[in-house]
Amino acid sequence: MRKVISFTLYSGVTPLDLVGPLTVLRKLGPTWPFRSVVVGERIELLDTDTPIKVVAAETFEAVPSFGRLADADAIVICVPTPLTAGGKPDLGPIRRTAAVVARHLQS
């Protein structure tokens, strides 16, 4: 069974954040030991930060749960980095996601 690299869709996602990495991974060919998939909470049209709408190929059930993160060889975290009212990056989404991931890792 091939390992899975999942890209999560959410309302307001930047399409280029998905297209670039997916293009690179898919060009690696069939011998690449990973399967990439675009997932979302539901399979439905979502707004992006552009006029383009996107839809997930699969739901979260298609990927391993957070409980299996300790078994991962690599973890890539892709979350939004909105700007604060002062124009600086809001690192809250990154910090919250990293905290969830950290609870499931082993040393």
Side-chain angles (χ1 to χ4, degrees), residues 16-98:
L16 190 57
D17 289 346
L18 297 168
V19 173
L22 283 169
T23 300
V24 170
L25 292 176
R26 290 194 174 138
K27 287 186 181 272
L28 294 174
T31 59
W32 175 245
F34 298 92
R35 175 177 73 92
S36 58
V37 62
V38 178
V39 297
E41 185 175 3
R42 292 177 297 280
I43 297 176
E44 64 183 4
L45 281 174
L46 291 174
D47 292 325
T48 67
D49 64 354
T50 72
I52 297 170
K53 292 191 183 282
V54 294
V55 63
E58 300 183 40
T59 62
F60 292 134
E61 285 78 35
V63 296
S65 67
F66 274 118
R68 295 195 51 210
L69 285 177
D71 299 331
D73 295 319
I75 300 168
V76 178
I77 301 171
C78 301
V79 294
T81 311
L83 298 178
T84 65
K88 296 189 180 207
D90 175 2
L91 300 178
I94 295 170
R95 289 186 176 121
R96 286 189 295 278
T97 303

Side-chain angles (χ1 to χ4, degrees), residues 69-72 101-107:
L69 285 177
D71 299 331
V101 169
R103 286 195 298 267
H104 297 283
L105 298 180
Q106 59 187 354
S107 57

